[in-house]
Amino acid sequence: NLSRSDRKIISGGPDSFYYNSFTISSLFCIEDNSTMPRHILIIDDMADARLLLRLILTGKGGCAVLEAASGAEALGQIGSQRPDAVILDYMMPDMDGLEVCRRIRAMPGLEAVPILMLTARPDPPLREKALAAGVSSFMTKPVNPAELLAELDRLTEMTAGV
């Protein structure tokens, strides 16, 4: 646990991320064990959330990152730039993450792409709805960077070659 003086918040709303200076500085120690970076699509309407995820993924994760600020933007990108995995927020203004997931799953060639839903809503009914919609994994904010990267590793290894 962090003291109030050591903890900072990115964004002020329900999608807030907590971080401290150690977390941010540790993100820049790149540990890329592969020759080709994974391409991860971040879909989140909150710019601060996308920034923090990009720092985690490009730093310690060694990933290439694509970003979309809405479900519609993501659906426009994903057909031409197939990602290795998707990190998807639930609460977005144009369409929620469940609808975005359903539409991705309906696109040819994307039926098996891992989709990790990352949300500030930890309630079990939402988790059940997300899994039924085709989400591969479900995590809540604030997210631990190491746990996020480990889950992405697990998901992409499961679908390698699919």
Side-chain angles (χ1 to χ4, degrees):
N1 284 342
L2 301 171
S3 70
R4 283 194 189 274
S5 62
D6 290 336
R7 185 171 53 185
K8 297 181 174 108
I9 300 176
I10 290 183
S11 133
D15 283 346
S16 298
F17 281 89
Y18 291 95
Y19 69 95
N20 63 22
S21 57
F22 173 76
T23 302
I24 295 298
S25 65
S26 69
L27 298 177
F28 296 100
C29 302
I30 297 175
E31 296 175 359
D32 185 12
N33 297 327
S34 65
T35 56
M36 295 292 293
R38 290 175 296 181
H39 291 82
I40 309 296
L41 173 60
I42 300 168
I43 309 170
D44 197 312
D45 62 315
M46 302 292 295
D48 291 340
R50 290 193 314 272
L51 170 63
L52 184 58
L53 289 168
R54 183 175 353 111
L55 291 172
I56 292 168
L57 295 170
T58 60
K60 210 163 196 167
C63 300
V65 172
L66 305 166
E67 296 181 29
S70 70
E73 182 183 348
L75 294 170
Q77 285 182 24
I78 200 166
S80 62
Q81 302 177 5
R82 186 190 188 281
D84 297 310
V86 174
I87 297 176
L88 175 61
D89 185 33
Y90 169 68
M91 295 184 287
M92 294 186 292
D94 64 335
M95 69 180 85
D96 69 28
L98 299 178
E99 183 60 26
V100 175
C101 179
R102 287 185 198 100
R103 291 187 186 192
I104 291 171
R105 290 287 181 237
M107 297 175 87
L110 296 173
E111 301 89 352
V113 69
I115 301 175
L116 187 155
M117 182 164 279
L118 184 61
T119 182
R121 290 190 48 194
D123 56 276
L126 175 58
R127 180 185 180 92
E128 291 171 21
K129 287 179 188 176
L131 294 172
V135 166
S136 310
S137 187
F138 188 94
M139 297 180 82
T140 57
K141 298 174 185 176
V143 67
N144 176 301
E147 290 175 8
L148 175 66
L149 293 173
E151 186 62 6
L152 282 173
D153 285 344
R154 185 185 75 78
L155 292 171
T156 55
E157 286 172 10
M158 285 176 39
T159 59
V162 174

